[in-house]
Amino acid sequence: LLGLRVKLYIYNKTRTTKTKGIKHWLNTKFGEPPVLLSSVDLNKNSEILKNRLENESYFQAQVTGDTITTDKKGKAAYLVEAGPAYRIKTVSFPRAKDSLTSAIKQQSRRSLLKTGNKYNLDLIKNERLRIDSRLKNKGFYYFAPENILVKIDSTVGNGSHQVDMQVTVKPETADKARRIYTIDSIFVYPNYSLRDTGKHAGSMVDYGWYHVVDPRNTIKPFAFKNTVQLHPGDIYSRRKHNNSINRFINLGPYKFVKNKFVDHDDDSSKLDVYYYLTPYKTKSLQLEVQGRTTSANYMGSQVNLNWKNRNAFKGAEALTVSLFGSTDLQMGGQSNGYNVYQAGIKTALTWPRFISPFDFKSDNAYIPHTNLMLGYSLNQRIKLYTLNSFSGSFGYEWRENARRSHELNLINITYVNPANVSPLYADSVAHSQNPTLAHVIDKQFTFGPSYSYTVTNTAQTYKRNTYFYNGKVDLSANLYGIITGADAKADNIKKLFGQPFDQYIKVENEFRYYHKVSRKSTVAGRLFAGVGIPYGNSTILPYSKQFFIGGSNSLRGFRARSLGPGTYNVADAYANSDFFPDESGDIKLEANIEYRPHLFSIVEGALFIDAGNIWLFRGNEGQPGAVFNHQFLNQLAADVGAGLRFDLTVLVLRLDLGMPIRKPWLPKGQRWVFDQIDFGNNAWRRDNLIFNIAIGYPF
């Protein structure tokens, strides 16, 4: 600390022969003994360095060590004469004599050992692992990397410092390791525990190509048809084996999966497969209590009560029923008691397979799911209005691999019905030219499919550069609206079940990029572009489907939902009002960049810049400047700020302080507001500094 060795100082000042007491505690807890020069083994370290150089192709390396002392300090110095690097001249693989050498010979095309490259021992080890991995998928169950020998001849090349490499199988390799094994019988134990030592063969049930041993009938045998990837007669494959293990875990009801392969004693090169599954408790009840604050001066809390059955109909179906209630109280600023209360119920049923008349098959490590969801929520804004919201969906989600995933909802239904609209709010709607107020309490009826595609490699934390992309298409009443000839602009509004329906196409794209500046510091960026096109039975997107901007996960220098659309400024329009309407749009553009340096311990810092805005697809007289046009770049808002993140392992607590640097509602040429920054002015701070408290990173 500041050039001083504090721990060494404590150690020297608290040295004692006692094994108890404050001195002993300080000495052992906070002290650090000195490293004595006499404990440095120069010869051993020189040999280690020489060995490392030899492993990196410097076969003629020489290393010597010596000590240099100054007063009471000393250091070890090593002189390295590396010599020339040896490079690979030729690489040969064994000639095909049997199934094993033939399989190894086939791996030569993708070998990591390339002519002209430097000799490298780690590369040789990785080549052995690569060959073993390929052989495991070709039936060589008992083969191991240690069975491969790479012979090196460094005497070739007439002094040109080259080596010949010969990949071969060790002569002492056991016969078992040379055989190709096939699968014979497959057994699944769905209710296994450590106390379960019997095989219970008498209660075995055959299903397709595997046998289920389940004396208590805890699950139906067909539930495993998407998880057991190996089949009798198949050549053993480690890939299929690992995929089966992953699928058993992802099935839902099981917390542990134990696997065993047993070969036959009759020397027939066959394996029996056993899967022992330890289940979770079938039913669970979870209570969650949350607290939150928003940049719109709301502080709130929420309680969730979740009941879950992991095996609802004995087919590994997950049934979840969630009850929730929340309050958001307006604090300070425009606080006039317009608090928000919500309550609702959500029921979800998930099948670990496709529920479809068609038989879709996949052989990767991930189980496809079919999802059914029904929900209801009551949203009450005190003194203003109440919204009853009903929702339902049915669709599928599946993964191609670890990076790519899909979600297809064949049908999404949303119905929002306003109730108890107060005279205050109704009067505001009647006397306001801003249609947003009326749009909030419009009836909403949407139905149609949606599709979402995600590709990401952010799980590969060892990479320096990672990315995330999500694209989504959301449709409502497209075909039905066309068939019925719906045309809201011509006042030809059609209904379904007695209700006008919304018709639109909505597309969203989000891209994130992460670059590690150092091991613990990152630069993160995000781009978002979304557009919703209302047509036919609609002239504007339904309120619940519109875009919003501003707040703790968006433009952090602006209050939530207070920005836009376009150059419209809600604060000016409602300067004398008790409340501001949330501003929404049909089009959204947003860009963010953030530098996240590690400061100390669990604390990270953040420096960020945000930019973006929302726009309407079609304009109205009440919101001048709100329509998207060719000048959209000149209508972008921007902010800068700084923050702290506290990584508490189970969650990240985030504090951000942002301020606007570009206000799109100001006249052209005056939208950059750097010259207005005045930290010493209380009024400026109140109107421009936005403090956000949030959980997790913004992106």
Side-chain angles (χ1 to χ4, degrees), residues 132-396:
D132 174 68
S133 176
R134 300 298 189 276
L135 294 182
K136 285 293 192 295
N137 290 326
K138 294 180 177 292
F140 294 94
Y141 176 76
Y142 285 104
F143 193 82
E146 293 75 21
N147 296 135
I148 296 176
L149 178 66
V150 181
K151 296 181 179 179
I152 308 297
D153 185 358
S154 61
T155 63
V156 299
N158 297 323
S160 60
H161 309 298
Q162 293 178 307
V163 297
D164 285 340
M165 290 186 172
Q166 182 183 1
V167 181
T168 185
V169 179
K170 290 182 180 179
E172 62 270 23
T173 300
D175 289 340
K176 277 188 171 185
R178 298 175 182 270
R179 294 181 190 170
I180 295 176
Y181 281 80
T182 58
I183 304 301
D184 191 17
S185 298
I186 303 171
F187 303 90
V188 180
Y189 290 74
N191 197 30
Y192 175 77
S193 68
L194 293 177
R195 296 189 297 271
D196 190 359
T197 57
K199 291 188 176 182
H200 304 289
S203 61
M204 183 186 303
V205 176
D206 297 338
Y207 183 88
W209 63 98
Y210 55 86
H211 313 287
V212 179
V213 184
D214 187 17
R216 299 182 181 178
N217 297 317
T218 60
I219 194 169
K220 296 175 182 177
F222 78 85
F224 304 110
K225 69 176 184 178
N226 284 334
T227 57
V228 180
Q229 300 291 290
L230 293 168
H231 292 74
D234 286 355
I235 291 176
Y236 167 79
S237 167
R238 177 185 280 175
R239 178 180 61 82
K240 289 185 177 181
H241 163 56
N242 289 338
N243 288 349
S244 296
I245 295 295
N246 286 335
R247 286 187 168 225
F248 274 118
I249 293 173
N250 293 332
L251 194 60
Y254 304 105
K255 58 180 176 180
F256 300 121
V257 179
K258 181 181 177 183
N259 173 248
K260 182 171 67 173
F261 287 87
V262 179
D263 61 346
H264 292 192
D265 295 331
D266 57 5
D267 203 29
S268 59
S269 300
K270 291 186 177 181
L271 296 170
D272 288 336
V273 190
Y274 295 85
Y275 295 106
Y276 302 103
L277 315 179
T278 303
Y280 287 103
K281 289 184 177 180
T282 304
K283 299 174 183 177
S284 64
L285 189 65
Q286 183 183 51
L287 177 67
E288 297 177 347
V289 179
Q290 303 173 358
R292 60 173 176 261
T293 182
T294 74
S295 57
N297 292 326
Y298 281 94
M299 296 192 68
S301 61
Q302 179 165 327
V303 176
N304 299 324
L305 184 64
N306 304 314
W307 177 85
K308 186 173 185 178
N309 188 328
R310 290 185 171 87
N311 190 20
F313 307 112
K314 292 191 174 182
E317 303 90 352
L319 176 63
T320 304
V321 179
S322 301
L323 298 173
F324 67 89
S326 69
T327 62
D328 288 283
L329 308 180
Q330 199 172 26
M331 313 294 290
Q334 297 289 330
S335 177
N336 289 286
Y338 301 117
N339 302 324
V340 180
Y341 297 91
Q342 294 185 76
I345 182 172
K346 179 181 177 181
T347 301
L349 179 61
T350 299
W351 293 268
R353 51 193 169 273
F354 282 132
I355 304 299
S356 168
F358 306 102
D359 187 16
F360 297 99
K361 294 183 179 180
S362 61
D363 60 354
N364 57 25
Y366 308 97
I367 289 182
H369 290 86
T370 301
N371 301 317
L372 173 65
M373 187 278 294
L374 297 173
Y376 165 77
S377 65
L378 174 70
N379 184 311
Q380 183 179 25
R381 192 164 184 181
I382 300 299
K383 299 182 182 180
L384 300 179
Y385 56 79
T386 300
L387 296 178
N388 293 289
S389 179
F390 304 85
S391 61
S393 65
F394 177 82
Y396 310 104

Side-chain angles (χ1 to χ4, degrees), residues 302-555:
Q302 179 165 327
V303 176
N304 299 324
L305 184 64
N306 304 314
W307 177 85
K308 186 173 185 178
N309 188 328
R310 290 185 171 87
N311 190 20
F313 307 112
K314 292 191 174 182
E317 303 90 352
L319 176 63
T320 304
V321 179
S322 301
L323 298 173
F324 67 89
S326 69
T327 62
D328 288 283
L329 308 180
Q330 199 172 26
M331 313 294 290
Q334 297 289 330
S335 177
N336 289 286
Y338 301 117
N339 302 324
V340 180
Y341 297 91
Q342 294 185 76
I345 182 172
K346 179 181 177 181
T347 301
L349 179 61
T350 299
W351 293 268
R353 51 193 169 273
F354 282 132
I355 304 299
S356 168
F358 306 102
D359 187 16
F360 297 99
K361 294 183 179 180
S362 61
D363 60 354
N364 57 25
Y366 308 97
I367 289 182
H369 290 86
T370 301
N371 301 317
L372 173 65
M373 187 278 294
L374 297 173
Y376 165 77
S377 65
L378 174 70
N379 184 311
Q380 183 179 25
R381 192 164 184 181
I382 300 299
K383 299 182 182 180
L384 300 179
Y385 56 79
T386 300
L387 296 178
N388 293 289
S389 179
F390 304 85
S391 61
S393 65
F394 177 82
Y396 310 104
E397 58 179 319
W398 70 97
R399 300 184 71 95
E400 288 183 47
N401 48 47
R403 294 186 180 185
R404 304 174 186 271
S405 61
H406 306 260
E407 183 176 353
L408 172 64
N409 283 320
L410 299 180
I411 185 68
N412 285 305
I413 300 176
T414 301
Y415 177 64
V416 179
N417 185 32
N420 301 324
V421 179
S422 70
L424 171 64
Y425 196 82
D427 185 64
S428 298
V429 171
H431 292 85
S432 172
Q433 293 183 340
N434 186 345
T436 302
L437 285 175
H439 194 44
V440 171
I441 57 173
D442 281 343
K443 285 187 177 181
Q444 302 171 48
F445 182 25
T446 68
F447 59 93
S450 67
Y451 170 72
S452 175
Y453 171 71
T454 302
V455 56
T456 179
N457 67 344
T458 52
Q460 298 172 314
T461 54
Y462 59 88
K463 287 194 171 185
R464 189 168 187 178
N465 300 300
T466 55
Y467 61 87
F468 169 92
Y469 169 77
N470 175 256
K472 185 176 181 180
V473 178
D474 186 7
L475 309 175
S476 176
N478 303 99
L479 184 60
Y480 186 74
I482 293 173
I483 293 173
T484 58
D487 188 353
K489 290 189 292 184
D491 203 26
N492 184 23
I493 297 178
K494 300 298 182 179
K495 296 182 179 181
L496 180 64
F497 304 121
Q499 297 294 333
F501 56 86
D502 295 286
Q503 189 176 358
Y504 63 84
I505 297 173
K506 183 181 177 184
V507 180
E508 300 175 51
N509 292 277
E510 182 179 8
F511 178 76
R512 305 175 188 173
Y513 182 77
Y514 306 91
H515 172 72
K516 287 187 177 180
V517 180
S518 63
R519 189 170 66 90
K520 292 185 177 182
S521 298
T522 304
V523 173
R526 173 175 65 178
L527 290 173
F528 181 93
V531 57
I533 303 176
Y535 70 101
N537 221 41
S538 300
T539 58
I540 189 172
L541 285 182
Y543 186 73
S544 62
K545 298 294 182 179
Q546 285 190 300
F547 297 106
F548 303 89
I549 200 165
S552 60
N553 292 322
S554 183
L555 270 65

